[in-house]
Amino acid sequence: MKYEKKIPMRKDCGLHLFKELLNGKWKLMLIYYISTGFKRPGELQRKICTADRRVLANQLNELVVHGFVSKVIFDTKVPKVEYELTDLGKSLLPVILNLEAWGESNRAVLERALTV
Amino acid sequence: MKYEKKIPMRKDCGLHLFKELLNGKWKLMLIYYISTGFKRPGELQRKICTADRRVLANQLNELVVHGFVSKVIFDTKVPKVEYELTDLGKSLLPVILNLEAWGESNRAVLERALTV
DNA sequence: CCTTATAGGGATTAATTTATGCGTACTTGC
DNA sequence: GCAAGTACGCATAAATTAATCCCTATAAGG
């Protein structure tokens, strides 16, 4: 059962489009890791081990529904699933790397800010 | 009274540093508008008129506390306040413009994604 | 047979963030 | 005096997001 929003979404600028779709706690990280070759749910979960399995699964599902990631289900005896980035997902990589670079290059001051 | 987090903050990568500090609904927009010359609380509120005054004030206060914005209080008869970007706030502008550009250049597909 | 691994999910609670109700205080202009 | 403008803030409710509880099912390895 999908959660129905009560307050309308904001689509008035690119910042809000980004936020409405990619605000999830692990979404950008998932896209990044998928881009670096971690494609299977189990792999991703081990990579992001502080996140609960179901939270990651929910975020991955949303990424699929919104068209950032596609899900490939293999018809093998033992269940096997792989995620891969769509073109839309790939278009996000430069943005993610930019965000990551900003954060890392300001790490010292940002960590101090977090303690205030 | 500041809200005390019960779940520890994630500082493990630049993406999380960014998110912990700038996840607020209007924060990036406020930084952007301040950079374009809208410096006073009233101006900003009229510019972002769908947001409640108190919500904007809270987000501005956090931006000040975290060092993205500084607040100048003029000692005039009629209250007058101006915000301006710190160096840290300015360092964020390219990132914001990058996000905004990504969102706008993918607007069509993103708006469709929001309806799913 | 039992453990570990694969992958999944509905229902509920907890945590966090945003919105709102109801105030303060001062000044200018009519 | 009163309305409108400047700016601010506590306390609470509502909305949203994340975390957790308790499950299913199959296969391989020992």
Side-chain angles (χ1 to χ4, degrees):
Chain A
M1 295 301 106
K2 195 188 164 193
Y3 175 73
E4 296 290 341
K5 293 208 174 179
K6 295 179 183 170
I7 292 180
M9 286 175 288
R10 310 172 302 276
K11 307 181 284 196
D12 45 297
C13 70
L15 293 174
H16 279 160
L17 291 171
F18 174 84
K19 196 162 198 307
E20 290 287 354
L21 289 163
L22 294 159
N23 196 28
K25 189 164 179 173
W26 308 99
K27 284 183 178 178
L28 297 183
M29 224 168 176
L30 285 168
I31 290 176
Y32 174 75
Y33 278 130
I34 292 171
S35 83
T36 64
F38 298 94
K39 297 164 177 286
R40 302 186 57 186
E43 285 178 335
L44 290 164
Q45 204 224 311
R46 280 187 292 275
K47 202 71 189 160
I48 310 179
C49 58
T50 57
D52 182 77
R53 171 183 69 76
R54 275 146 298 182
V55 174
L56 287 184
N58 286 342
Q59 309 245 328
L60 282 164
N61 285 159
E62 283 188 23
L63 289 174
V64 170
V65 167
H66 289 149
F68 296 100
V69 166
S70 59
K71 179 176 184 171
V72 184
I73 303 174
F74 292 88
D75 189 20
T76 50
K77 339 88 204 183
V78 170
K80 178 175 175 183
V81 166
E82 281 187 7
Y83 293 100
E84 52 188 48
L85 298 186
T86 63
D87 287 345
L88 183 61
K90 286 175 192 159
S91 77
L92 208 44
L93 283 174
V95 175
I96 292 175
L97 295 176
N98 190 221
L99 280 171
E100 166 69 12
W102 175 83
E104 284 301 342
S105 66
N106 292 282
R107 170 171 289 279
V109 57
L110 298 178
E111 285 194 3
R112 283 194 53 249
L114 282 176
T115 67
V116 180
Chain B
M1 294 299 106
K2 195 186 163 192
Y3 175 73
E4 296 290 340
K5 294 209 172 178
K6 295 180 182 169
I7 292 178
M9 286 176 288
R10 309 173 303 277
K11 307 180 284 196
D12 44 298
C13 69
L15 293 174
H16 279 161
L17 291 172
F18 174 83
K19 196 160 198 307
E20 291 286 355
L21 288 163
L22 294 159
N23 196 29
K25 189 165 180 174
W26 309 99
K27 283 184 178 177
L28 297 184
M29 224 167 178
L30 286 168
I31 290 176
Y32 174 73
Y33 279 130
I34 292 171
S35 83
T36 62
F38 298 94
K39 297 166 176 286
R40 303 188 54 188
E43 286 178 335
L44 290 164
Q45 204 223 313
R46 280 187 293 275
K47 203 70 190 162
I48 310 179
C49 59
T50 57
D52 182 77
R53 171 184 69 76
R54 279 146 298 182
V55 174
L56 288 184
N58 285 342
Q59 309 246 327
L60 282 164
N61 285 159
E62 283 188 23
L63 289 174
V64 170
V65 168
H66 290 148
F68 296 100
V69 167
S70 59
K71 179 177 186 173
V72 184
I73 303 175
F74 293 87
D75 189 20
T76 49
K77 337 90 205 184
V78 171
K80 177 175 174 182
V81 166
E82 282 187 5
Y83 293 100
E84 51 188 49
L85 298 185
T86 62
D87 287 345
L88 182 61
K90 287 176 192 159
S91 77
L92 208 44
L93 283 173
V95 175
I96 292 174
L97 295 176
N98 190 221
L99 281 170
E100 166 69 11
W102 175 84
E104 285 301 342
S105 66
N106 291 282
R107 172 172 287 279
V109 58
L110 297 178
E111 285 194 3
R112 283 194 53 250
L114 282 176
T115 68
V116 179

